[in-house]
């Protein structure tokens, strides 16, 4: 079983203590996004969890917990979304200079292979032009070379915006970004992948990627896995099946392009209800919910490792 932690919220930034408590207790309760009276129960033992895919914009609270994760027998990797946008777009993040240094520190702790850089979403407006992105991406590659092996990019989806401030990029803009980024990434030894994009960019050396990536996971855990395609994802998504343990409306980064928050008021209310000792991210079970077992068994194939 692959654990996604999480597409719905930033667990490393806000809930790292809760997450470690869940591992210690061996299970988590996940609210159904469409029906709060239904909960999923997932075992989090090392015997069930083959790998944990973290998603974050600020991994700093996890740094002191990596060694404990290792000693507990868990395999994992970190997907760190790091862009050059300022606080008018990513409202409540630490300064970017601090986050760049955090990426380097993270990589020194867990290795470049497990330190995945996400430069997404790429959006275009009067300020954030193709040239601006290429200039910023170049500067970031200069800093992050040797500290990551791959960078995942995606282009903004207008439906994700709460205020419709972003438009879809044209094919010309996407290819201009792709060709510029590819030249830079190649110079610094970083492989580029797209996330859930239909556009074909292989002519620039950019591969269709997966955030929950079978080959990467197999490399990290040193074993083949019997993987299925992820359900309920976008048509162009190539992620394998995973169980997401997060909850919507529990992240206060305040990114204006976020699809996982409905309102600041709801986020603050749910974060105030957080208890690091609860089996749920926000609040506690009422006791009358319908609980469904969602634990999957290990997907490892019992054969001699090929790595």
């Amino acid at each position: 079983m692959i654990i996604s932690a999480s597409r719905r919220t930033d667990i490393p930034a806000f809930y790292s203590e809760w997450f470690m408590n869940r591992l210690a207790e061996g299970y988590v309760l996940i609210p159904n996004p469409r029906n709060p009276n239904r909960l999923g129960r997932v075992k989090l033992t090392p015997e069930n969890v083959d790998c944990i895919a973290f998603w974050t914009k600020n991994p700093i609270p996890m740094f002191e917990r990596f060694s404990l994760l290792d000693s507990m027998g868990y395999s994992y990797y970190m997907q760190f979304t790091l862009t050059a946008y300022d606080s008018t777009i990513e409202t409540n993040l630490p300064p970017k200079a601090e986050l760049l240094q955090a990426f380097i520190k993270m990589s020194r702790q867990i290795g470049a292979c497990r330190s995945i850089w996400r430069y997404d979403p790429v959006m275009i407006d009067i300020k954030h032009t193709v040239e601006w992105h290429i200039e910023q991406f170049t500067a970031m590659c200069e800093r992050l070379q040797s500290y990551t092996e791959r960078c995942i990019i995606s282009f903004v989806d207008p439906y994700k915006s709460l205020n419709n401030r972003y438009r879809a990029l044209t094919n010309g803009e996407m290819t201009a970004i792709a060709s510029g980024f590819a030249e830079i990434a190649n110079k610094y030894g970083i492989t580029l992948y797209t996330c859930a994009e239909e556009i074909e960019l292989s002519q620039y050396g950019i591969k269709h990627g997966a955030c929950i990536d079978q080959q990467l996971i197999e490399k990290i855990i040193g074993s083949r896995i019997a993987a299925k395609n992820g359900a309920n994802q976008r048509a162009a998504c190539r992620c394998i099946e995973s169980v997401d343990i997060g909850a919507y409306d529990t992240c206060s980064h305040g990114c204006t392009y976020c699809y996982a928050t409905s309102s600041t008021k709801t986020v603050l209310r749910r974060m105030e209800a957080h208890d690091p000792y609860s089996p749920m991210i926000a609040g506690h079970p009422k006791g009358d919910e319908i609980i469904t077992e969602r634990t999957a068994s290990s997907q490892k194939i019992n054969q001699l490792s090929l790595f």
Side-chain angles (χ1 to χ4, degrees):
M1 177 175 62
I2 311 300
I3 294 295
S4 170
S6 154
R7 286 184 175 96
R8 300 169 180 171
T9 191
D10 194 328
I11 287 176
F14 300 113
Y15 306 107
S16 58
E17 180 184 3
W18 171 84
F19 178 78
M20 298 307 294
N21 288 339
R22 291 297 88 225
L23 294 186
E25 291 201 38
Y27 79 100
V28 63
L29 293 180
I30 312 166
N32 185 309
R34 297 181 181 85
N35 186 345
N37 290 319
R38 290 183 174 272
L39 302 175
R41 187 181 190 277
V42 180
K43 292 181 182 179
L44 295 178
T45 63
E47 292 74 26
N48 291 103
V49 176
D50 297 317
C51 192
I52 303 165
F54 289 105
W55 315 64
T56 188
K57 290 184 177 176
N58 179 11
I60 296 173
M62 283 295 295
F63 287 173
E64 63 185 33
R65 296 178 166 93
F66 287 144
S67 59
L68 180 56
L69 269 176
D70 295 336
S71 68
M72 294 172 74
Y74 291 96
S75 297
Y76 58 92
Y77 62 99
M78 302 290 292
Q79 299 184 93
F80 188 166
T81 299
L82 185 54
T83 70
Y85 300 129
D86 63 22
S87 60
T88 63
I89 294 174
E90 296 175 339
T91 309
N92 298 319
L93 289 176
K96 290 304 170 74
E98 182 179 335
L99 291 174
L100 276 164
Q101 191 57 43
F103 193 107
I104 293 169
K105 182 176 180 180
M106 177 184 75
S107 178
R108 286 172 174 165
Q109 286 189 255
I110 69 173
C113 173
R114 295 194 290 170
S115 300
I116 313 303
W117 175 23
R118 298 182 63 91
Y119 187 101
D120 75 304
V122 177
M123 62 180 191
I124 300 291
D125 58 22
I126 294 175
K127 177 179 178 180
H128 307 97
T129 61
V130 170
E131 293 74 21
W132 182 88
H133 280 290
I134 291 175
E135 179 182 351
Q136 300 300 320
F137 187 73
T138 301
M140 296 176 80
C141 281
E142 289 176 352
R143 290 292 308 278
L144 298 180
Q145 61 174 311
S146 303
Y147 296 107
T148 187
E149 296 177 357
R150 64 172 64 192
C151 177
I152 299 174
I153 65 172
S154 70
F155 304 106
V156 69
D157 291 319
Y159 77 87
K160 291 181 180 178
S161 173
L162 301 179
N163 55 12
N164 296 318
R165 69 180 285 181
Y166 305 118
R167 63 169 176 83
L169 275 66
T170 66
N171 278 359
E173 289 168 335
M174 287 189 280
T175 55
I177 290 285
S179 61
F181 278 24
E183 182 178 353
I184 298 158
N186 184 62
K187 176 182 176 181
Y188 292 104
I190 299 172
T191 303
L192 282 180
Y193 298 83
T194 54
C195 171
E197 296 291 346
E198 295 182 359
I199 188 170
E200 182 59 57
L201 300 173
S202 59
Q203 65 270 37
Y204 305 111
I206 301 175
K207 305 175 182 180
H208 289 289
C211 307
I212 311 294
D213 184 276
Q214 180 174 352
Q215 291 184 343
L216 175 63
I217 290 170
E218 288 178 338
K219 181 178 179 180
I220 289 170
I221 69 176
S223 175
R224 300 296 189 194
I225 56 175
K228 299 178 182 179
N229 292 333
N232 303 317
Q233 300 296 338
R234 289 174 288 173
C237 179
R238 299 196 174 194
C239 290
I240 60 172
E241 193 172 47
S242 63
V243 177
D244 197 297
I245 63 169
Y248 293 112
D249 285 312
T250 56
C251 175
S252 61
H253 286 320
C255 301
T256 56
Y257 50 74
C258 183
Y259 65 90
T261 58
S262 60
S263 72
T264 301
K265 182 178 180 181
T266 302
V267 169
L268 293 177
R269 174 175 56 81
R270 299 202 72 194
M271 292 187 77
E272 286 175 358
H274 172 68
D275 178 350
Y277 296 99
S278 171
M280 303 164 54
I281 277 187
H284 292 262
K286 294 178 295 183
D288 58 353
E289 296 94 341
I290 298 173
I291 299 179
T292 303
E293 185 64 44
R294 291 197 57 199
T295 303
S297 59
S298 172
Q299 296 171 279
K300 290 181 181 179
I301 297 173
N302 294 322
Q303 66 179 39
L304 182 66
S305 171
L306 300 181
F307 300 96

